[in-house]
Amino acid sequence: AETANGIRNLWVRPLDSFSAQRLDKTEGAQDPFWSPDSQSIGFFADGKLKRIPVSGGPPLTLCDAPDGVGGAWSKEGVIVFGPSSNAPLQRVSSSGGVPTAATALDPSSKETIHGWPQFLPDGRRFLFFVQGPEKNGIYVQTLGSAERKFLMATDVKAAFVSPNHLLFGRQGSLMVQNIDPESL
């Protein structure tokens, strides 16, 4: 949420309550995402990827991310994230460390963005959005593999909704498509 003076912070609110709690030291936070156990939130601020417990406390800086482009947190404690535009997705431990490449931009397609990843239920494969002048769309890739599969053309990110739906935008409309999370 953004305050009247324009400062953005993360806030949490239980669904059964009307009272929200601001999480301290989250000024400028953007693109938050949940840990698999819903006890922490990953986010980008100050050119860094950070995490904070939903109960409050100081945020932990995980690594550099100059201009975050979404993140996803696996059950195995791996975070896949977009550190900035014009960069491939990176992976880092949820406890921090040196990130390594999770995807590679395809120079033949002039890709400019890999962003907004989301893990599928198996916790190894992840969806992500690819933007480039030749083709925008949603791809799926497995952690540790360079091979990726094109799923569909779209100009915006997509969201997998358990047990078997893919939400995405197309020409200004919200679309839903059934998808088998195993066979895709």
Side-chain angles (χ1 to χ4, degrees):
E2 195 169 294
T3 61
N5 59 358
I7 298 174
R8 187 176 47 234
N9 285 93
L10 292 179
W11 293 70
V12 292
R13 180 183 68 91
L15 290 175
D16 61 355
S17 170
F18 291 108
S19 178
Q21 171 192 353
R22 182 176 60 85
L23 296 177
D24 289 333
K25 299 183 180 170
T26 61
E27 292 80 10
Q30 64 182 35
D31 280 342
F33 55 95
W34 289 98
S35 65
D37 65 5
S38 299
Q39 298 303 303
S40 295
I41 299 172
F43 66 99
F44 301 92
D46 306 318
K48 307 287 183 190
L49 171 61
K50 302 179 179 189
R51 68 179 273 188
I52 190 168
V54 294
S55 59
L60 173 66
T61 297
L62 303 178
C63 64
D64 289 338
D67 188 26
V69 191
W73 196 324
S74 79
K75 295 179 268 189
E76 286 79 31
V78 173
I79 294 176
V80 173
F81 68 100
S84 65
S85 298
N86 296 316
L89 293 176
Q90 301 285 303
R91 65 183 278 173
V92 70
S93 167
S94 60
S95 57
V98 177
T100 58
T103 64
L105 296 175
D106 180 358
S108 68
S109 297
K110 300 177 185 156
E111 295 174 353
T112 57
I113 294 176
H114 283 189
W116 302 284
Q118 181 183 10
F119 279 100
L120 290 170
D122 64 14
R124 300 277 312 141
R125 294 176 302 151
F126 56 95
L127 302 174
F128 63 103
F129 176 72
V130 172
Q131 180 177 331
E134 296 181 14
K135 185 189 224 179
N136 295 341
I138 303 302
Y139 288 78
V140 66
Q141 190 166 320
T142 301
L143 278 175
S145 170
E147 219 174 292
R148 64 182 178 182
K149 177 180 179 179
F150 177 75
L151 289 184
M152 67 173 45
T154 180
D155 290 327
V156 295
K157 62 185 176 179
F160 177 80
V161 179
S162 202
N164 63 345
H165 292 95
L166 191 62
L167 299 176
F168 59 98
R170 186 171 286 153
Q171 298 176 341
S173 295
L174 178 62
M175 310 290 284
V176 63
Q177 178 157 340
N178 288 334
I179 184 169
D180 181 326
E182 293 304 315
S183 67
L184 301 173

